[in-house]
C-alpha cells in the first residue's frame, strides 16, 4: 500500500471541488495499510470535507495532534461524536496548556482547546496518550517534538503565549509535534505549524533517523516575506534534494507563490482536497 496524504482542510479550497476551507489544518494519512488523522481543523468542516472526498473516517486507527491551538484541535468534538467509540489520541506534552495570542492592539485572546480534557475523555471516549519528546507511535511512524533551535531565523514569536496562573509567558512550543513517516523513497515529514521552525525540525529528524528526507508537507509558519530566510530555505531544499515540498495553512500566500516560482520542480499544491501519493 502506497503512502497517501489527503488534505482534508486548510485555508484555501478551489471552488470547483465543493469543499470548505478555513484557517486550520487536517490531514488524512494512509500509511502501512492503516488510516490516521493528523490534526482536526478548527471546526467540523474537516469531517464534512472527508465525506465529500470519500474518505472512510470510520476506519481511522488513531488521531495525532500537532499542538494545542484551536485551528488544529477545534474539530475534535465533531470527529469524536461521529466516531462514537474509544479512540487513541496522541498528543505532545503540554498540549492542554492555556494558550493565548497577546498583542498591543487587542490584548489577549484564548486560542487553545475549546473543550476541557476531562469532558472529551468522559463524554466522547477520547483516550489521550501523551508522547515523549521523540517516540515511534507504530513501526515507521515517528513523533518529534521539543526540537532544538539551530539557526538564526526560526524562533518562537513573542505574541504567542501560555498562561500559568495569572501570568503570561512566551510559548516556547516544546509541544510542537511533527509526524514523520518512513517510506521506500525516504522520510515524509508532516508539519502542523512548525512553530519550532521547519529547518530546525528537518535537521533534527534527519540526525535522529539518519535517512534522507523525501517530502515536507504542511504548515511552515512562514508568514512574512523575509528574502534572506526564504533563500536559506531554498538552499536547504536543494542541498537536501527534497523531492516534494507542499507548504500550506500558516504559510502566507506570498511565500507559497515564492516557492512555486523558485522551486517548481518540487513544489506541490496542498490545498483542501489535494492528494499527495508517495
Amino acid at each position: 500500500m502506497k503512502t497517501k496524504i489527503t488534505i482534508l482542510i486548510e485555508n484555501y479550497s478551489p471552488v470547483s471541488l465543493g469543499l470548505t476551507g478555513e484557517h486550520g489544518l487536517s490531514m488524512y494519512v494512509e500509511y502501512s495499510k492503516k488510516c490516521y488523522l493528523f490534526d482536526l481543523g478548527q471546526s467540523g468542516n474537516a469531517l464534512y470535507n472527508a465525506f465529500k472526498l470519500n474518505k472512510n473516517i470510520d476506519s481511522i486507527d488513531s488521531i495525532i495532534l500537532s499542538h494545542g491551538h484551536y485551528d488544529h484541535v477545534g474539530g475534535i468534538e465533531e470527529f469524536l461524536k461521529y466516531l462514537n467509540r474509544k479512540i487513541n489520541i496522541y498528543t505532545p506534552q503540554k498540549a492542554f496548556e492555556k494558550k493565548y495570542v497577546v498583542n498591543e492592539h487587542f490584548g489577549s485572546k484564548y486560542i487553545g482547546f475549546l473543550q476541557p480534557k476531562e469532558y472529551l475523555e468522559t463524554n466522547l471516549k477520547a483516550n489521550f496518550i501523551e508522547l515523549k519528546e521523540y517516540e515511534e507511535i507504530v513501526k515507521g511512524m515517528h513523533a518529534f517534538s521539543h526540537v532544538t533551535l539551530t539557526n538564526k531565523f526560526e524562533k518562537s514569536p513573542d505574541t504567542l503565549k501560555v498562561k500559568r496562573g495569572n501570568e503570561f509567558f512566551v510559548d516556547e512550543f516544546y509541544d510542537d509535534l511533527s509526524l514523520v513517516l518512513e517510506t521506500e523513497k525516504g522520510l515524509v515529514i508532516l508539519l502542523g505549524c512548525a512553530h519550532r521552525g521547519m529547518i530546525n525540525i528537518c535537521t533534527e529528524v534527519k540526525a535522529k533517523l539518519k535517512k534522507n528526507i523525501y517530502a515536507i508537507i504542511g504548515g511552515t509558519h512562514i508568514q512574512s516575506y523575509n528574502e534572506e530566510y526564504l533563500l536559506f530555505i531554498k538552499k536547504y531544499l536543494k542541498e537536501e534534494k527534497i523531492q516534494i515540498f507542499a507548504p500550506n495553512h500558516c504559510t502566507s500566500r506570498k511565500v507559497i507563490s515564492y516557492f512555486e516560482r523558485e522551486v517548481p520542480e518540487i513544489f506541490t499544491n496542498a490545498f483542501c482536497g489535494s492528494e499527495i501519493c508517495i
Side-chain angles (χ1 to χ4, degrees):
M1 179 180 179
K2 286 188 175 182
T3 297
K4 181 189 289 187
I5 313 300
T6 303
I7 309 301
L8 296 183
I9 208 159
E10 70 107 28
N11 301 34
Y12 305 98
S13 177
V15 174
S16 60
L17 295 180
L19 304 175
T20 301
E22 67 183 18
H23 178 76
L25 185 63
S26 179
M27 305 186 200
Y28 185 90
V29 180
E30 297 171 65
Y31 178 73
S32 191
K33 299 182 179 180
K34 290 187 178 181
C35 301
Y36 306 87
L37 288 172
F38 182 55
D39 284 346
L40 303 171
Q42 69 160 285
S43 71
N45 287 330
L47 177 63
Y48 307 132
N49 283 352
F51 296 152
K52 291 179 181 178
L53 291 166
N54 294 315
K55 296 301 175 183
N56 185 3
I57 298 300
D58 294 289
S59 70
I60 293 298
D61 180 84
S62 54
I63 297 168
I64 303 99
L65 299 179
S66 65
H67 62 300
H69 279 170
Y70 76 100
D71 51 327
H72 295 256
V73 303
I76 191 169
E77 186 167 14
E78 290 292 327
F79 274 98
L80 291 179
K81 284 180 177 178
Y82 174 78
L83 288 168
N84 193 29
R85 61 177 167 88
K86 187 173 183 179
I87 188 165
N88 291 338
I89 303 177
Y90 295 94
T91 69
Q93 297 172 354
K94 299 185 178 181
F96 280 90
E97 277 196 315
K98 295 179 180 179
K99 295 178 178 289
Y100 287 79
V101 59
V102 180
N103 69 39
E104 59 186 18
H105 299 296
F106 57 76
S108 63
K109 178 183 178 182
Y110 179 72
I111 56 171
F113 270 87
L114 304 177
Q115 306 89 357
K117 182 179 180 182
E118 295 74 18
Y119 166 77
L120 298 171
E121 291 173 324
T122 303
N123 295 349
L124 298 179
K125 305 176 184 178
N127 182 42
F128 290 103
I129 300 172
E130 190 174 275
L131 295 168
K132 300 173 185 175
E133 295 171 10
Y134 160 74
E135 198 160 335
E136 189 172 24
I137 299 174
V138 297
K139 185 173 176 57
M141 177 184 285
H142 309 265
F144 279 80
S145 57
H146 208 109
V147 168
T148 304
L149 304 183
T150 59
N151 67 75
K152 68 178 183 179
F153 298 104
E154 299 175 329
K155 61 180 181 179
S156 300
D158 293 337
T159 56
L160 296 178
K161 311 279 190 181
V162 291
K163 190 174 185 180
R164 300 179 183 125
N166 293 318
E167 291 189 65
F168 289 107
F169 300 88
V170 172
D171 194 342
E172 297 293 343
F173 285 103
Y174 294 127
D175 66 321
D176 182 71
L177 180 150
S178 300
L179 192 64
V180 182
L181 312 174
E182 293 187 54
T183 75
E184 292 179 357
K185 294 181 179 179
L187 301 175
V188 176
I189 300 180
L190 305 183
L191 305 172
C193 262
H195 282 294
R196 293 290 285 179
M198 183 184 80
I199 303 301
N200 291 329
I201 292 165
C202 291
T203 300
E204 185 140 330
V205 167
K206 187 174 180 182
K208 177 74 175 180
L209 298 181
K210 295 179 170 47
K211 294 184 178 181
N212 291 330
I213 299 168
Y214 180 80
I216 304 169
I217 303 166
T220 69
H221 221 268
I222 307 169
Q223 297 178 326
S224 61
Y225 195 90
N226 180 327
E227 191 165 349
E228 186 184 4
Y229 180 31
L230 294 179
L231 287 171
F232 172 71
I233 294 172
K234 178 183 171 181
K235 183 171 182 282
Y236 180 88
L237 295 172
K238 288 183 174 293
E239 287 180 348
E240 294 298 322
K241 297 181 172 60
I242 307 301
Q243 297 300 300
I244 293 174
F245 183 46
N248 65 6
H249 174 44
C250 50
T251 315
S252 77
R253 291 305 303 173
K254 191 173 182 181
V255 170
I256 289 174
S257 295
Y258 170 87
F259 287 114
E260 185 174 17
R261 181 177 68 252
E262 294 295 322
V263 288
E265 68 279 6
I266 67 170
F267 177 84
T268 303
N269 283 311
F271 44 66
C272 292
S274 294
E275 290 190 344
I276 302 170
C277 298
I278 309 298

